[in-house]
Amino acid sequence: MSRISIVIPMYNEARHIARTLLAAQRAGNVAGLECELIVVDNGSQDQGPEIARQSGAQVLVVPGVLIGALRNRGTAAATGDWLAFIDADIEMPEDWLSQLFDIEATGQADIFGLDLHTPAAAPWYATAWQRRTLRPTTHAHYVVDWLPSSNLLMLRRWFDKVGGFDENLRTGEDKEFTLRLREHGARLLAINKSVALHWGYEMNWREWMGKELWRQGSHLQLLRTHGFSLR
């Protein structure tokens, strides 16, 4: 049986982590995989770490580092031949792993990610903002230049080949990481046949603005370190 390690960075996600872990484990079961759940906590002040342990995850507490370092620390503890990264507020569909393993077996790509949507309870502006990233449904998947780390799947050897995530980036570590994978010959595929649900949607405009400023925070740093090709 193949073994997959699912690495989930977390900070104050007590509202979402049980759902995230349950859905990930269910997807592993549907795919017939031995599933290792690793939550890397950045010093949460809520009950997230305890909930994660109760949900069957190994919890590593790593305060005071940036997101890339959290992902790298989780990978250092991982034992699977396959490696997945998902965010702590993402609910993966049951066919997440089974459909991507089927695609990988055909030799079409090496690194995979599902498109994201918001659940029905999300306010209209959060749904509209998330919908901007969805690709046309005329095709089940698209070859892309980079993928976000809200959910990523790959063989462990690809992570090792590029040396993991940049630990100095406050945000944008996913784009930098997957661009580097592509430079090393990996083929990246975005899947929209089924979508993952983003439960950490913004509850009001102020929260949306704050998160968007945070998300854009490393663009200038990426341009300085990797050149204008990132644009």
Side-chain angles (χ1 to χ4, degrees), residues 122-178:
W124 69 266
Y125 51 84
T127 298
W129 187 246
Q130 190 69 67
R131 192 183 297 275
R132 86 198 192 285
T133 65
L134 292 175
R135 295 167 181 83
T137 56
T138 50
H139 299 287
H141 41 72
Y142 289 83
V143 176
V144 293
D145 292 335
W146 67 278
L147 287 166
S149 56
S150 54
N151 68 95
L152 283 173
L153 175 69
M154 69 198 72
L155 281 166
R156 170 65 183 260
R157 61 181 177 83
W158 281 108
F159 179 95
D160 294 338
K161 186 172 184 177
V162 301
F165 289 88
D166 187 326
E167 300 190 3
N168 298 308
L169 292 173
R170 189 166 67 94
T171 64
E173 84 295 336
D174 48 2
K175 185 170 187 177
E176 194 277 337
F177 174 63
T178 53

Side-chain angles (χ1 to χ4, degrees), residues 54-77:
Q54 293 173 358
S55 300
Q58 174 186 356
V59 177
L60 309 176
V61 179
V62 188
V65 301
L66 298 176
I67 184 68
L70 294 176
R71 301 188 198 280
N72 290 343
R73 300 300 186 277
T75 303

Side-chain angles (χ1 to χ4, degrees), residues 3-15:
R3 182 176 179 86
I4 184 169
S5 300
I6 301 176
V7 176
I8 305 171
M10 180 178 74
Y11 180 73
N12 287 346
E13 293 286 2
R15 290 184 301 167

Side-chain angles (χ1 to χ4, degrees), residues 184-222:
H184 281 75
R187 295 161 297 171
L188 281 60
L189 204 65
I191 314 295
N192 64 2
K193 182 179 180 181
S194 62
V195 296
L197 291 180
H198 178 215
W199 282 90
Y201 54 82
E202 296 77 9
M203 299 297 294
N204 53 59
W205 283 104
R206 178 175 294 182
E207 185 180 355
W208 177 84
M209 284 296 296
K211 283 192 176 182
E212 187 56 25
L213 287 172
W214 175 82
R215 281 188 286 257
Q216 302 302 323
S218 286
H219 278 193
L220 288 178
Q221 187 177 358
L222 280 170

